[in-house]
Amino acid sequence: MAQKYPIEKVRDIGIIAHIDAGKTTVSERVLFYTGVSHKIGEVHDGTTVMDWMEQERERGITITAAATTCFWTPSYAKGDKAFEHRINLIDTPGHIDFTVEVKRSLRVLDGAVVVFDGVSGVEPQSETNWHYADDYGVPRLCFINKLDRMGASFENSLQSIKDRLNPNAIPIQLPIGIEAGFEGLVDLLRMKAYYFEGNNGETIVEKDIPENLKESAAKHHEALVEKIVEQDDDLMHKYLEKHEITLAELKKALRKGVLSLKIIPVLTGTALKNKGTQLMLDAVVDYLPSPIDLPPTKGTNPNTGAEEFRKPDDNEPFVALAFKVAADPFVGALTFFRVYSGTLKKGTYVLNSTKDSQERIGRIIRLHANHREEIDEISAGEIGGLVGLKDTSTGDTLCDPEHPLVLERIDFPEPVISARVEPKTKADQEKMGMALRRLAEEDPTFRVSGDPDTGDTIIAGMGELHLDVLVDRMRREFAVDAKMGRPQVAYKETIKGSAEAEGKYIKQSGGRGQYGHVRLKIETQERGAGFEFVNAIKGGAIPNEFIPAVEKGVIEAATRGVVAGYQLVDLKVTLYDGSYHDVDSSEAAFKIAASMGFQEGVRNSKPILLEPVMKIQVIAPADFLGDITGDISSKRGRIEAMNDRFNTKVIDAQVPLSEMFGYATTLRSITQGRGNFTMEFDHYDEVPNSVAQQIIEGKKK
Ligand code: GDP
């Protein structure tokens, strides 16, 4: 298996789906047909190979973005190994609380297969993930799954993709039959019918298109060819002059259209009933990019600040992105990384250019679904795992120390929810700190802190389920039993105005004195700008050695705002004057003076409370529309859009997170169990005065 693959025969792809659309089942079938696993594992048995973690099996959702390598020779090549490709499958989760996993996988994959449930078509989460994939410019194929299900409709699902995701979606297959009568597929390029025989559909049989589908297939074929020839001027001429266009020419132009995101091919089938997965893999090979089809990777040289590019070439300097650190039960920390250029050899040293530290490359492994292969080197375009890195977290760049480069970081949202965690016993207490630290290293949207008043441990993340899962993992993987308190909204504070303030900490009676004195200017910044400290001291009013202490004092004070003690964000602090004493001044005195001055300044700059506002989408039958929108309004929500989808209404709204606790239950009772919703963080917004009063009161209790 260690043969070296030419880079053009590598595909780094992900399967993206709404939860329950069948991503796990599709991945399973991929591993089965590519020969990695020899037994088909059903999701409901909890035996799937992709879902490593026990609790994922129980919950039936895939949380980790594990990467798996497999090999595929397209079915049309009839076993000719010259056509074999290496597919690195990067697993992505469907649940909204794990957005971060989707984002980080999108950052490193080159192409994606988006799986839809053939009964429900486009669902809210598919939409969210689709837009992320747009942000990262990821070429895509659509796979409409579950055509065997009662109520499945290829046409409706296709229409929902065109209407809600991209009008350039176009079928390259048609189903033969539907629901229990779903038998096979028409390939609209080859104009042939394919059936899947044998116990697991492994034998593909080619036949003529059935009589009743000939007309429709011809119509779709025509539309597809028209769309494809638009991608290539020469082909367009040929087409207009009615010359024959070969299959190879069509495939080549279709590939071009997919790579430039101008065409989204739509395929279909049923993973569970073993129809269509192999042809989907053929399309991955034929139409999704290899690493070499992508533009060179951009980064910043940390020494010069200049932008530099690296081509996906083994002879370029090595650069890779660590896209996931997983606490692995067998090897400890396992760092998944993607090589963008150059090669990495075992036993060498690399630079972690994000942290400016050195890492030794002990073991490089390639992950297959059910075994790990140790390899000596890994090349551009590949995905692998590293064992035993000391200091590398998710999003860090690893590179050739002689040619330092920092790749663009993965951008992660701030946590919006927090809860206390209490260890059950003294022994748990001791292990909990380490366990939480490890989990936080893995997941940049998970934070751990201590409550300075009570000494309690506080965890923060992207949603209730996110925190639940982490507490659960602590128990399973680290044997730490802990109880999580009621989740709280992660409010923040900021200021609307600006002020100048003075902080003095002077004690000069008896013994060694204290002398710190600063003048600060505090200004509001635009939302999301973060926190900025500027040193504008001139003429040595405060000696340089004390400036870091001033900054530290301000940063520490900013962790506890003046309204209700929440983190202060989006402000700029300028240190512009002050004074010192030759003997009595110390770092400690300046730190205290800075923190006092800062707090006073904040008090005088119209401090306000901010709350996370969520984007929600509710789907329910039209009968319940009035009750749903009324309830959203009573939750301080704002309706953004109401649309029809098949027989249901889709309501998009923004609602403060604090109003959304228990919404699943509310919605169920409003809609007699027929409504669904998804929710994700959108932005922080000012809390209205009356509500702010309640939060402040609540905090005092
Ligand atoms: P995921 O949440 O996207 O990973 O979805 P799963 O692969 O776990 O599938 C969700 C459910 O749909 C499971 O019960 C599967 O057995 C079922 N399922 C998956 N694919 C198909 C299919 O093609 N047809 C039918 N009828 N059910 C399917």
Side-chain angles (χ1 to χ4, degrees):
M1 287 263 227
Q3 79 257 48
K4 193 161 148 49
Y5 269 74
I7 191 164
E8 64 276 10
K9 288 197 174 160
V10 171
R11 300 286 178 276
D12 292 328
I13 64 150
I15 297 178
I16 305 181
H18 184 281
I19 184 160
D20 251 21
K23 190 198 60 214
T24 312
T25 312
V26 172
S27 308
E28 271 297 311
R29 292 309 185 270
V30 166
L31 298 179
F32 174 76
Y33 295 118
T34 58
V36 170
S37 70
H38 293 285
K39 178 172 151 277
I40 288 189
E42 296 297 344
V43 176
H44 43 257
D45 300 341
T47 55
T48 58
V49 254
M50 285 295 278
D51 285 347
W52 283 1
M53 292 182 338
E54 200 181 335
Q55 126 234 29
E56 287 183 41
R57 293 179 192 191
E58 276 178 21
R59 288 174 195 259
I61 49 178
T62 310
I63 301 162
T64 48
T68 313
T69 291
C70 57
F71 300 90
W72 182 244
T73 305
S75 57
Y76 54 79
K78 310 239 181 300
D80 181 349
K81 286 281 171 196
F83 287 84
E84 190 177 73
H85 284 64
R86 183 201 291 281
I87 297 176
N88 294 314
L89 196 61
I90 299 156
D91 196 19
T92 60
H95 198 278
I96 201 79
D97 279 3
F98 306 106
T99 303
V100 54
E101 299 278 356
V102 177
K103 277 196 159 184
R104 81 167 125 218
S105 15
L106 283 171
R107 172 75 169 75
V108 294
L109 52 77
D110 298 336
V113 176
V114 187
V115 177
F116 300 89
D117 181 326
V119 177
S120 30
V122 175
E123 292 168 272
Q125 174 80 65
S126 349
E127 232 170 336
T128 309
N129 288 337
W130 188 273
H131 296 315
Y132 287 140
D134 283 340
D135 290 347
Y136 287 97
V138 176
R140 263 152 281 177
L141 307 173
C142 294
F143 182 77
I144 300 174
N145 188 32
K146 303 200 189 183
L147 275 205
D148 62 305
R149 265 186 72 190
M150 185 122 90
S153 163
F154 179 72
E155 289 75 24
N156 287 348
S157 303
L158 172 67
Q159 199 56 45
S160 74
I161 295 172
K162 284 198 198 173
D163 289 348
R164 300 185 48 200
L165 302 180
N166 194 320
N168 294 322
I170 187 160
I172 64 168
Q173 297 177 337
L174 287 184
I176 303 170
I178 192 77
E179 297 178 345
F182 175 59
E183 295 177 64
L185 295 165
V186 173
D187 179 327
L188 292 169
L189 276 180
R190 289 189 171 79
M191 290 303 272
K192 285 283 175 194
Y194 293 90
Y195 299 85
F196 307 88
E197 295 178 357
N199 281 344
N200 300 305
E202 59 273 46
T203 313
I204 303 178
V205 181
E206 185 184 282
K207 292 188 184 161
D208 284 335
I209 298 175
E211 224 29 70
N212 64 340
L213 274 176
K214 277 199 166 137
E215 197 184 326
S216 151
K219 217 174 74 210
H220 279 96
H221 172 75
E222 201 47 39
L224 178 61
V225 172
E226 258 175 42
K227 181 119 193 155
I228 292 175
V229 296
E230 277 173 21
Q231 309 304 314
D232 186 302
D233 288 346
D234 291 345
L235 219 51
M236 182 59 116
H237 276 292
K238 267 183 134 173
Y239 177 74
L240 293 175
E241 284 161 18
K242 304 222 178 324
H243 287 301
E244 202 203 328
I245 301 177
T246 64
L247 178 64
E249 284 172 321
L250 283 175
K251 280 175 69 174
K252 192 168 160 218
L254 176 53
R255 178 173 179 83
K256 194 167 148 194
V258 175
L259 297 193
S260 58
L261 303 175
K262 294 205 181 96
I263 302 184
I264 317 269
V266 180
L267 295 88
T268 187
T270 158
L272 188 69
K273 303 285 164 60
N274 304 318
K275 294 184 174 76
T277 308
Q278 300 104 310
L279 300 187
M280 185 272 281
L281 281 169
D282 290 356
V284 165
V285 163
D286 288 343
Y287 308 121
L288 290 183
S290 81
I292 211 154
D293 293 314
L294 302 167
T297 305
K298 191 172 77 180
T300 313
N301 181 321
N303 299 337
T304 63
E307 216 169 68
E308 289 180 13
F309 293 86
R310 297 276 189 276
K311 292 200 280 292
D313 183 333
D314 287 359
N315 299 318
E316 290 258 310
F318 168 74
V319 68
L321 187 78
F323 66 94
K324 184 176 174 76
V325 180
D328 182 90
F330 303 108
V331 296
L334 179 58
T335 311
F336 289 88
F337 69 111
R338 165 168 181 159
V339 184
Y340 284 92
S341 66
T343 40
L344 179 67
K345 290 194 171 61
K346 195 168 123 172
T348 57
Y349 284 88
V350 296
L351 175 71
N352 175 332
S353 51
T354 310
K355 301 238 168 74
D356 195 20
S357 65
Q358 217 181 35
E359 292 277 14
R360 198 185 107 84
I361 304 305
R363 290 163 65 196
I364 310 175
I365 52 183
R366 191 161 355 242
L367 292 107
H368 300 266
N370 47 11
H371 75 283
R372 289 141 193 251
E373 176 194 7
E374 287 230 12
I375 50 181
D376 294 332
E377 64 172 67
I378 185 162
S379 327
E382 292 286 356
I383 285 171
L386 291 169
V387 179
L389 298 190
K390 321 183 291 296
D391 200 21
T392 297
S393 12
T394 299
D396 287 0
T397 304
L398 299 173
C399 63
D400 178 348
E402 302 292 318
H403 299 91
L405 193 74
V406 184
L407 300 176
E408 194 190 329
R409 280 195 69 90
I410 307 175
D411 149 41
F412 296 115
E414 288 287 309
V416 292
I417 203 165
S418 69
R420 274 165 217 288
V421 270
E422 252 178 71
K424 287 244 167 76
T425 66
K426 188 102 202 311
D428 290 324
Q429 168 100 51
E430 281 157 15
K431 287 183 294 183
M432 189 170 85
M434 194 274 290
L436 289 174
R437 213 167 43 244
R438 287 274 289 278
L439 292 170
E441 262 167 26
E442 260 186 47
D443 178 352
T445 58
F446 175 61
R447 308 275 167 82
V448 183
S449 60
D451 183 325
D453 295 332
T454 59
D456 289 347
T457 303
I458 312 278
I459 55 175
M462 299 313 297
E464 282 182 87
L465 179 61
H466 186 206
L467 297 185
D468 268 348
V469 165
L470 287 158
V471 170
D472 218 37
R473 285 189 58 191
M474 206 157 56
R475 183 158 53 80
R476 291 171 190 284
E477 292 169 34
F478 299 91
V480 177
D481 239 331
K483 209 173 98 231
M484 187 170 85
R486 224 164 57 116
Q488 309 278 328
V489 175
Y491 293 102
K492 291 183 192 296
E493 297 184 18
T494 189
I495 52 172
K496 282 172 101 171
S498 61
E500 294 190 354
E502 192 174 16
K504 266 188 189 162
Y505 184 65
I506 301 177
K507 275 199 183 137
Q508 292 179 307
S509 51
R512 185 164 187 269
Q514 295 281 5
Y515 190 105
H517 173 214
V518 299
R519 285 179 199 274
L520 304 170
K521 186 164 171 208
I522 314 219
E523 293 160 279
T524 176
Q525 297 275 81
E526 87 190 50
R527 203 63 45 78
F531 179 89
E532 191 186 354
F533 178 82
V534 179
N535 171 22
I537 290 286
K538 295 208 182 66
I542 299 175
N544 271 338
E545 61 189 284
F546 296 128
I547 308 285
V550 174
E551 180 170 2
K552 220 164 157 189
V554 168
I555 288 174
E556 270 182 35
T559 59
R560 309 196 68 198
V562 301
V563 180
Y566 292 103
Q567 175 76 46
L568 269 154
V569 294
D570 304 338
L571 46 85
K572 178 171 158 185
V573 180
T574 310
L575 170 65
Y576 69 94
D577 200 9
S579 61
Y580 72 104
H581 185 278
D582 275 338
V583 180
D584 293 345
S585 277
S586 66
E587 282 181 14
F590 270 103
K591 203 172 135 190
I592 296 171
S595 124
M596 287 164 40
F598 173 75
Q599 290 227 328
E600 187 201 305
V602 168
R603 245 176 251 120
N604 295 330
S605 346
K606 306 202 187 70
I608 54 162
L609 210 52
L610 296 175
E611 64 181 342
V613 176
M614 312 304 277
K615 190 160 77 185
I616 71 165
Q617 185 168 66
V618 184
I619 302 181
D623 302 354
F624 307 109
L625 190 65
D627 290 342
I628 294 170
T629 53
D631 177 64
I632 290 175
S633 303
S634 77
K635 292 178 156 32
R636 299 192 281 126
R638 208 178 63 222
I639 309 283
E640 309 239 280
M642 280 190 264
N643 292 301
D644 290 300
R645 186 185 316 163
F646 315 133
N647 307 319
T648 57
K649 288 278 175 193
V650 180
I651 303 146
D652 289 295
Q654 297 214 346
V655 186
L657 174 61
S658 60
E659 305 281 347
M660 288 300 293
F661 287 102
Y663 188 63
T665 316
T666 312
L667 185 65
R668 215 174 299 129
S669 74
I670 296 180
T671 62
Q672 297 159 13
R674 295 175 60 202
N676 273 309
F677 82 107
T678 57
M679 163 163 97
E680 83 179 292
F681 170 68
D682 195 74
H683 66 284
Y684 269 91
D685 211 347
E686 181 172 355
V687 180
N689 232 323
S690 54
V691 181
Q693 280 317 316
Q694 289 167 22
I695 296 167
I696 296 164
E697 291 302 315
K699 189 84 177 174
K700 278 187 194 145
K701 272 180 218 152

